[in-house]
Amino acid sequence: MSSVVRNQGSCVAIRSLSPSSSINRCSHASASSDGATCGRPAWIGKRLTCVCFKRKGVYEGIYFNITPKQEERLNRLRHRMKVYFDGSRPDHQEALRALWSATYAGKELHGLLSDQWKEMGWQGRDPSTDFRGAGFISLENLLFFAKTFSTSFQCLLKKQGGNRSTWEYPFAVAGVNITFMIMQMLDLDASVKPRTFIRSVFLQMLSENEWAFDLLYCVAFVVMDKQWLEKNATYMEFNEVLKSTRTQLERELLMDDVLRIEDMPSFTLLC
């Protein structure tokens, strides 16, 4: 079930609500006189989120229940986010080897400590030092991208599309930064209270597909590269490109007809 509520210029879209979810309107007594969006939804009860919009001095909004499936998948995703990369763990070592094999099929890796990793865009011969910002999930994201959309992955890795800069972004390190950017955008590390509408929308998508975060990562990577080319950017401008990438993702996630990651217009860039 989908529902869209419009308040004469403000639009709140609740996507793919499950039958167990409930929607109600709410009104907050305190409000400022501007017509801007309320940046922080109010928490009004266990598992109950209120997404509020300010218009002409009145808060108007919608609140809905977080379903058990959403909570379960969110907790699972949070757990993934909290795992630090540990080079001494056999499963983490194996994931690195799997990334190499998926990236350079048939090319032997001489060791987990090797200058070969620089070819992929790691800063040094030990890629584990680059995972500190986003943890093991950033490696999982790269591996998911390499296996699920291998053509796009290889194209971005080899910088094959468009008029490339003479000072390009390092592919693998860019991927780690994209993971961290998405975690911030979705506010997934919030322990209890959802603080953004983007997060509420994503939870609906996560309930439909437990790989929603990984799919969004792939979309974000191709959007970032597209923004990079359009801006004719160099590495010194990478942070600005990342900000514009986030803005584009947020805009697409809030579109009325985007119910899944696959519905995002930029998803068509993947192949």
Side-chain angles (χ1 to χ4, degrees):
M1 168 182 163
S2 297
S3 175
V4 177
V5 176
R6 300 181 184 277
N7 294 322
Q8 297 183 17
S10 295
C11 174
V12 183
I14 303 301
R15 292 154 172 80
S16 301
L17 289 173
S18 65
S20 60
S21 298
S22 62
I23 308 176
N24 295 282
R25 295 184 59 89
C26 70
S27 179
H28 291 166
S30 61
S32 65
S33 59
D34 62 24
T37 301
C38 174
R40 294 180 181 272
W43 186 257
I44 54 179
K46 185 179 181 181
R47 296 183 181 174
L48 205 58
T49 311
C50 175
V51 182
C52 302
F53 283 70
K54 291 185 289 186
R55 182 180 175 278
K56 294 183 179 180
V58 177
Y59 276 88
E60 293 184 282
I62 295 175
Y63 52 89
F64 57 93
N65 285 315
I66 296 178
T67 67
K69 179 185 283 189
Q70 289 173 337
E71 188 171 36
E72 176 189 353
R73 289 187 171 176
L74 177 59
N75 288 336
R76 193 179 306 162
L77 182 54
R78 280 184 183 146
H79 175 73
R80 290 177 62 195
M81 289 167 46
K82 292 178 181 178
V83 177
Y84 292 100
F85 182 86
D86 183 350
S88 66
R89 287 181 53 168
D91 56 332
H92 289 199
Q93 294 174 6
E94 184 57 34
L96 265 181
R97 293 190 183 95
L99 177 62
W100 179 268
S101 297
T103 305
Y104 303 108
K107 186 175 182 179
E108 182 183 359
L109 175 65
H110 298 154
L112 293 180
L113 298 180
S114 170
D115 286 333
Q116 289 176 287
W117 289 109
K118 297 178 184 179
E119 300 175 29
M120 197 186 298
W122 300 104
Q123 296 183 84
R125 64 195 311 268
D126 181 7
S128 67
T129 60
D130 291 324
F131 290 121
R132 293 170 184 165
F136 183 63
I137 191 174
S138 58
L139 173 55
E140 292 180 314
N141 288 159
L142 278 167
L143 186 54
F144 180 90
F145 190 13
K147 290 184 174 182
T148 309
F149 302 103
S150 59
T151 301
S152 292
F153 181 90
Q154 290 293 330
C155 183
L156 298 187
L157 170 70
K158 299 172 182 176
K159 308 293 193 299
Q160 292 177 334
N163 184 21
R164 311 304 308 197
S165 169
T166 55
W167 196 10
E168 281 286 335
Y169 62 86
F171 176 79
V173 173
V176 174
N177 278 271
I178 289 170
T179 296
F180 186 71
M181 179 269 289
I182 295 174
M183 289 193 295
Q184 288 186 314
M185 180 183 74
L186 297 178
D187 195 32
L188 295 176
D189 61 345
S191 58
V192 179
K193 303 179 182 181
R195 297 175 293 190
T196 66
F197 187 45
I198 287 287
R199 180 173 182 255
S200 299
V201 168
F202 178 76
L203 284 178
Q204 294 293 335
M205 296 177 172
L206 188 62
S207 68
E208 298 296 327
N209 187 341
E210 64 179 319
W211 298 106
F213 185 91
D214 303 81
L215 288 170
L216 182 58
Y217 170 87
C218 298
V219 174
F221 217 135
V222 292
V223 169
M224 185 278 293
D225 190 75
K226 186 171 183 288
Q227 297 268 355
W228 177 272
L229 292 174
E230 289 175 352
K231 296 178 183 296
N232 194 27
T234 65
Y235 186 60
M236 295 298 292
E237 299 167 294
F238 180 78
N239 286 339
E240 290 303 314
V241 173
L242 208 58
K243 288 178 183 177
S244 63
T245 299
R246 173 171 172 168
T247 299
Q248 179 65 26
L249 295 176
E250 290 174 334
R251 184 182 302 117
E252 293 189 19
L253 286 169
L254 293 178
M255 289 179 176
D256 291 350
D257 56 350
V258 173
L259 308 178
R260 309 168 303 155
I261 299 298
E262 294 92 328
D263 296 330
M264 296 174 68
S266 292
F267 186 84
T268 59
L269 297 172
L270 289 165
C271 55

